[in-house]
Every structure is written in structure tokens, then in C-alpha cells.
Amino acid sequence: MTISAFSRYRAEWYSGPTAARRDILAGMVGTFALIPEVIAFSFVAGIDPEVGLFASFVIGIVIAFAGGRPAMISGAAGSVALVAAALVHAHGLQYLLVATILAGMLQIAFGLAKLDVLMRFVSRSVHAGFVNALAILIFSAQVPQMVGVSWQAYAMIAGGLAIIYLVPRISSAIPSPLICIVVLTAIAMWFPMPLKTVGDLGRLPDSLPSFGLPDVPLSWDTLRIVAPYALAMAAVGLLESMMTANVVDELTETRSSKARECTGLGLANIAAGAFGGIAGCGMIGQTVGNVRYGGTGRLSTMVAGVFLLVVMVPLRPWVAQVPVAALVAIMIMVSISTFSWGSLRDLVRHPKVSSVVMLATVVVTVATHDLSLGVGVGVLLSGVFFAWKVTRMMDVAVEYDAASDTRVYSVTGQVFFASADIFADRFDLREEAKHVRIDLTGAHLWDVTAVGVLDDVVAKLRRHGAVVEVVGLNQASAVLVDRHAPLMRDLAA
């Protein structure tokens, strides 16, 4: 690590007492926002809540040191739990731990191979759809906690929202969500009322996590069972983490190392599996909340993990008394702040195809509760629309010189797999002119499909007696022709 890189890394941990205080307080709030979601996704995966909570503690500690995005909170939740559920139901927890470790190894390999560059194919429309879908999912996850409850629960949620939004107008020294948790818990303890508490969400751990390798046979059969799940968990986890890192980049107007985030998440998941936990990824709701509360450095990430352990064991009796209404109020605020409200205005201002991509990403994600599937559909639609747009930009102009009996085809635009058929249809293959010149000065051949179609056109024209000349190939196109259409070498000029 160079001196400048070390200085930057040190600044990411400590940039002054004020920033450190806000990191600590924001991390503490992030812990309380982490608990209900981790417990909920533990049930989705078919595992005990302590498995998810232990994993979140380990992941939080490791990612604070090894991750590439300061202030980002990662834990055992998200679409990774959905992928893991089938493996747990079919083969049990021990096979899940093996898949978690293998997924971490794959993520390290992805990071070292710099596969994070694939995020460049995620358009702004897909990004907006991802954020909006996540905000909807965060809010919808709170709905079950607001159905069939007492009027006191609604009053506590309303009071919590009032504290969260009004306290910052008076003072921002302490994050208002933390004040919300303390005040509502005190009210619930002093004035008993029919309220669901954190203790009602599931069994909280009463001991520290311990190191141990999964109890499964080390055989090819085990690898065959866990490999597909490990690959899916690795891909889904990286996708959610990269999207979360992009959101924080925009919120903080800073840049992060996506490749390092890949390897850091891989190390964190290996450690989680070794301590009996499930694989995790970046948690955008908690991360956005952490940044909104003032967390900007790695210290906030570490505090979220360390405080989770403190909350889980020594303070377990008190944490169990925290009303769920307080957590619901915090997550409602996070969902409101996460949603890109400007994207609603952009539906009218932006091109229709961009709006379709954004809406498709939202609909698929909300319908399936799978962020990776929604992003995949959005990226696919973006690619299709882009190819369609570029295809329309290609044109072939035709001129005839009677003096020399020459037909000139002047091609402009991009010729690739999506426009190759249109390119071929513009030629009269039963050409009656003695000479044919194909001018590619204003065109570019992108792939073997384009070269193959050009080769077919030339071959068919020559079979009908025309003397064909190809001119204007740029250097990149000429290389493709030379490699994949050797019969045209004597024609290209």
C-alpha cells in the first residue's frame, strides 16, 4: 500500500472527533435497523435467527476493514437468503455453511478478475428502478407489522415518525432514530400496552459465535450439491453490494473501489461460514439510513457489527423490550428517503424507452422480491433498446454511374449482429451493373456477424458476374475482415 493510499485508508477510519462521534451513533442506529430484517430473512432462508445475526456480526467486522466502500453496512439479508432457502430445505444448515464459504471464494476470484466492470452496463434507468423497488420492498416489509395491531401500536409508529422528522429541526447532535428507539422503549416499559417487541420476532442468541468447519463429507458429491447455490449466492450478493455501493457513491459524492468490495465481501462471507453464519451482502436500506444519520467512515460499519454483538448478548433482555413500532417508524423513514422521487418527474421528461426500463425493473423486483432478477431484466431491456436505437442509425445510400456502369453502395453507421440483416437487405444481389463499389468510409463493422454478412453479399454479387470493390474500411474493421473473411483481402482497399 502506497503512502497516499495508506493516508486515505486512515482518513476513512478517523477524520476528526465530530465525524467519529457521528459514525458511532449512526452505526448504533444501523444495528437496530439491521436486527428485524436479518431475523425476517433468517426465517425466509429456513434457519434460526441467531445464524443470521451471528453472520451479520462477522460480516460487519470483516467488511469494515476489507471492504471498498466506507459507511456501507452489509449483513445476512436480501436476495441471498432467497437463494439459500432451497439448499437449506433440501440438505440442511451444514451444506449452507459450505456454500457460504465457497461463495466467498468465488467473490474473491471475481474481485481479483476485476469483474466489477460489468456494473458499467447498468444504466441510470436501471439504477433508479433498483432504488425505487428497494424502497417499495422496505416499506412493504413493514406492512405485516402494521396489520391486526392495537391502536397503541399505530400511535407509537406515528410518534416515532414525529420524533424522527421533528428532532433534527431542534438539534442534530444525536441521530433522531436513536432518540426514537430510546423514547418509545421507555414509554413501552413505563406504560405497559399491547405492543409487539423485538423479543417476539424470534429467538435472540445467548452466547458468542464459535469457530468451526461445516460438518459435511469432503467429497465431489458435496461440491456438486453446493456449487450451483454458491455461484448464485456469490452473483446475487455482489450485484446487491455493487448497487448499494453506487447509491452511497452518489449520496456522498465520493468514489469507491468496487473490485475491493468484491474481495472484501468474499473474505467476510468465508469468515461468516466459518463461524456458523449464512452469506450476506450490502444492505441498501440500512446503508442509506447509516449515511442519512451521519455515518461516513469505516468506523460506522464496524460499530454496526460490534454493537450488534453487544446488543445480542449482554443487552439481550433490554433489546428484547424495544417495541417493533420504533423499528417500523425508522424503516418507513428509510424507505421514503431511499425512493427516488425525481424519477416520477423523469417519467414524463425522459425518453419512453428509459421510463419503460425503470418501470420494468421496479415491477419485476417487487413482483419477485428478487433484486438481482429485476436488475437483470432492466439491463437486458437496456441492451435491447440500445441495439434497436443503433440499428436505426445505420443507412445504405445507393448511386449509379452510367458512364462507368458502376453501382455505389455508401454505408454509414454501425453494422453488428442487430443491424446485419438490414444491411444485407439493402443490396440488390442480382445486380445488373458491371461494377459494384461498397464504400464503408462512414461505417464500422463490430463483430463477426457483420463481417460474415458482408462476405456473403460480396460472394453473391460476384456469382452474378459483378466486379466488387470494397473501400473505406477503418483499421478495426479491416482487422476483423482479415481474420474472419480471408476471401475479401484482395477486395478491401
Side-chain angles (χ1 to χ4, degrees), residues 95-433:
Y95 281 85
L96 173 61
L97 302 183
V98 176
T100 295
I101 295 174
L102 181 56
M105 294 178 178
L106 291 173
Q107 289 170 336
I108 292 176
F110 292 160
L112 295 177
K114 306 294 184 181
L115 294 184
D116 57 288
V117 298
L118 296 177
M119 286 301 298
R120 297 175 183 175
F121 294 95
V122 179
S123 66
R124 182 174 292 272
S125 299
V126 176
H127 183 268
F130 170 84
V131 170
N132 291 343
L134 191 60
I136 295 172
L137 290 179
I138 292 173
F139 182 83
S140 63
Q142 314 313 310
V143 173
Q145 307 297 339
M146 296 186 289
V147 175
V149 298
S150 63
W151 67 266
Q152 291 95 332
Y154 290 111
M156 293 285 273
I157 294 174
L161 289 171
I163 293 173
I164 290 172
Y165 284 106
L166 295 180
V167 167
R169 297 186 178 185
I170 302 173
S171 173
S172 58
I174 300 177
S176 59
L178 187 57
I179 297 175
C180 167
I181 292 173
V182 173
V183 171
L184 295 192
T185 302
I187 294 175
M189 294 178 68
W190 290 339
F191 304 99
M193 59 186 79
L195 293 174
K196 183 183 293 186
T197 64
V198 170
D200 299 324
L201 295 178
R203 178 177 175 270
L204 296 176
D206 53 9
S207 62
L208 298 177
S210 58
F211 178 83
L213 296 177
D215 184 16
V216 298
L218 299 178
S219 63
W220 286 109
D221 287 338
T222 299
L223 181 61
R224 177 181 54 81
I225 291 172
V226 303
Y229 295 98
L231 180 60
M233 291 163 65
V236 169
L238 286 180
L239 178 60
E240 291 201 37
S241 292
M242 295 301 98
M243 295 295 289
T244 302
N246 282 341
V247 171
V248 181
D249 288 351
E250 291 190 6
L251 288 175
T252 60
E253 297 182 350
T254 59
R255 288 291 170 261
S256 57
S257 173
K258 304 300 188 300
R260 183 174 177 180
E261 186 63 32
C262 292
T263 56
L265 182 62
L267 291 172
N269 282 331
I270 291 175
F275 280 91
I278 184 177
C281 60
M283 302 177 67
I284 190 168
Q286 286 70 19
T287 298
V288 171
N290 182 47
V291 175
R292 299 290 189 194
Y293 309 148
T296 57
R298 294 179 181 273
L299 183 59
S300 65
T301 304
M302 190 181 74
V303 168
V306 172
F307 193 62
L308 180 62
L309 182 64
V310 173
V311 164
M312 283 192 300
V313 184
L315 301 181
R316 180 172 175 268
W318 288 273
V319 173
Q321 299 301 316
V322 174
V324 173
L327 305 180
V328 170
I330 293 174
M331 297 310 292
I332 289 177
M333 181 275 293
V334 170
S335 67
I336 293 174
S337 62
T338 300
F339 194 89
S340 177
W341 298 100
S343 64
L344 298 179
R345 180 182 65 251
D346 293 338
L347 287 174
V348 179
R349 298 170 51 190
H350 285 179
K352 292 182 179 179
V353 292
S354 298
S355 299
V356 169
V357 169
M358 192 272 283
L359 292 174
T361 303
V362 172
V363 171
V364 173
T365 301
V366 173
T368 62
H369 284 223
D370 189 335
L371 293 167
S372 62
L373 183 58
V375 172
V377 170
V379 171
L380 178 61
L381 284 177
S382 295
V384 170
F385 289 145
F386 174 77
W388 175 70
K389 182 178 180 179
V390 173
T391 298
R392 295 179 61 190
M393 296 173 64
M394 193 211 68
D395 187 38
V396 180
V398 183
E399 297 179 355
Y400 177 68
D401 183 4
S404 59
D405 192 20
T406 301
R407 184 86 63 186
V408 180
Y409 291 88
S410 299
V411 185
T412 56
Q414 315 303 313
V415 186
F416 61 114
F417 66 90
S419 60
D421 288 342
I422 300 175
F423 169 81
D425 290 342
R426 300 294 177 87
F427 290 86
D428 182 2
L429 299 180
R430 298 185 178 276
E431 181 62 63
E432 296 181 357

